[in-house]
Amino acid sequence: MSGIKIAVAGTGYVSLSLAVLLAQHNQVMAVDIVPEKVELINRKKSPIWDEYIEKYLTEKELNLKATLDAKVAYSDSKFVVVATPTNVYPLGSVLN
Ligand SMILES: NC(=O)c1ccc[n+]([C@@H]2O[C@H](COP(=O)([O-])OP(=O)(O)OC[C@H]3O[C@@H](n4cnc5c(N)ncnc54)[C@H](O)[C@@H]3O)[C@@H](O)[C@H]2O)c1
């Protein structure tokens, strides 16, 4: 296998886009806390609506695995990309 081992935290709009792009040339582990999302990605289905993510998952040769096991993914990777929700506002949103 070629490329660098990279973990991506989250499988949302930012994180899954990055994971899919990076997985063209690297060994990527996408980590999420939602089992259904992990399962879908491992079946090459996108859990979010995004034309290019859907297209890349089905048409490109990707080195991408999704997992719930953050410890294994992060400890085994050279880089970790974090694109999870941020809780900068204690009540959830600046609008609250
Ligand atoms: N979407 C945008 O256009 C945009 C623009 C600028 C900044 N951001 C920032 O980027 C980050 C991600 O945004 P998004 O739109 O991709 O969010 P999203 O809600 O689409 O995805 C976030 C993902 O992270 C997962 N997650 C939550 N906690 C986790 C954890 N502990 N470990 C692993 N996965 C976890 C969620 O289940 C979800 O799949 C946020 O901080 C957001 O503020 C997003």
Side-chain angles (χ1 to χ4, degrees):
M1 271 192 257
S2 62
I4 299 166
K5 285 189 177 179
I6 302 171
V8 178
T11 63
Y13 283 94
V14 175
S15 39
L16 192 53
S17 304
L18 291 171
V20 162
L21 290 173
L22 290 166
Q24 293 176 100
H25 303 290
N26 300 283
Q27 301 172 48
V28 177
M29 292 274 267
V31 182
D32 209 290
I33 55 172
V34 180
E36 293 79 11
K37 298 188 86 176
V38 166
E39 193 194 317
L40 278 170
I41 293 162
N42 286 331
R43 288 196 282 121
K44 298 183 183 295
K45 306 250 185 235
S46 178
I48 52 176
W49 184 87
D50 182 284
E51 184 186 347
Y52 281 94
I53 290 175
E54 290 170 28
K55 194 176 163 67
Y56 273 48
L57 281 173
T58 52
E59 294 177 12
K60 298 267 185 184
E61 198 171 315
L62 303 178
N63 194 338
L64 174 66
K65 282 191 185 124
T67 183
L68 294 168
D69 195 337
K71 194 172 176 185
V72 167
Y74 301 152
S75 59
D76 199 30
S77 294
K78 182 128 179 129
F79 297 103
V80 178
V81 178
V82 180
T84 54
T86 42
N87 47 355
V88 288
Y89 304 107
L91 296 178
S93 163
V94 71
L95 300 175
N96 284 342

